[in-house]
């Protein structure tokens, strides 16, 4: 879980607890996107307090993160069969945010569905590929609504029992008549203090364009997380 800041290095402290017995997935790395453990968390993005939580089970999880005011949040769901007979995992999410433009601030919702596959490659690198579709709904400016096709690749490389890297690249482009493009990339360096606790430093680049509105930025992030 990350709480990133446009203007500096945010620090996130994650507190996690387990309210009931669930599958702890001891074979899954703490940074694995298919990890289904249950978590609770809180942190700061500059001067904004954010909270987050994830409820995990044997083959699915529901995750929510939000700023303290509740006006920017993301709710996601993952179904992962955790079976050698199936390498396909289903994801769905709803994201609400606010975008500042030269003509005002717009509330928007993004509805996304996708399919994730996992591949264990060279040098113990785990590669996760997701393909899907995203629908953007902009309040008070419906002409900016659009549908995109998305591709995301995540590479997880454990260097030892402690150190690991995560590289993520995402891209999307409109498949309707709108002009909408997004490109995100980030690199994380992580250290597992114990099997349950780790910290990560992340550097992220983002580029977004919606019709005549465009945004480009870089962000640093720091997180401490745990799993049970």
């Amino acid at each position: 879980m990350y709480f990133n800041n446009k203007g500096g290095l945010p620090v996130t402290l994650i507190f996690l607890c387990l309210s009931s017995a669930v599958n702890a997935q001891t074979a899954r790395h703490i940074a694995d996107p298919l990890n289904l453990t249950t978590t609770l968390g809180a942190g700061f993005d500059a001067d904004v307090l954010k909270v987050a939580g994830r409820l995990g089970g044997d083959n699915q999880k529901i995750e929510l993160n939000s700023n303290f005011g509740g006006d920017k949040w993301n709710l996601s769901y993952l179904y992962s069969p955790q079976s050698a007979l199936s390498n396909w995992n289903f994801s769905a999410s709803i994201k609400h945010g606010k975008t500042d433009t030269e003509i005002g601030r717009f509330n928007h919702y993004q509805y996304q569905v996708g399919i994730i596959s996992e591949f264990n490659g060279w040098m113990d690198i785990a590669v996760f590929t997701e393909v899907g579709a995203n629908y953007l709904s902009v309040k008070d400016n419906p002409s900016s609504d659009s549908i995109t096709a998305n591709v995301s690749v995540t590479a997880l490389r454990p260097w030892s029992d402690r150190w690991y890297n995560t590289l993520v690249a995402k891209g999307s482009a409109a498949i309707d008549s709108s002009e909408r493009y997004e490109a995100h990339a980030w690199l994380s360096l992580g250290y597992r203090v114990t099997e349950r606790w780790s910290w990560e430093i992340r550097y992220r680049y983002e580029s977004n364009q919606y019709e005549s509105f465009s945004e480009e930025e870089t962000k640093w992030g720091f997180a401490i997380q745990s799993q049970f």
Side-chain angles (χ1 to χ4, degrees), residues 6 71-72 97-108 138 208 210 212-216:
K6 297 181 181 179
D71 60 343
K72 293 183 179 181
K98 293 184 177 181
T99 301
D100 293 313
T101 72
E102 58 268 28
I103 62 173
R105 166 174 277 201
F106 292 102
N107 288 297
H108 60 263
V138 183
N208 305 299
Y210 307 95
S212 60
F213 312 122
S214 62
E215 181 181 33
E216 186 176 16

Side-chain angles (χ1 to χ4, degrees), residues 126-144:
V127 180
F128 306 87
T129 303
E130 180 176 6
V131 294
N134 180 289
Y135 174 68
L136 172 67
S137 176
V138 183
K139 185 178 180 181
D140 299 326
N141 191 23
S143 62
S144 294

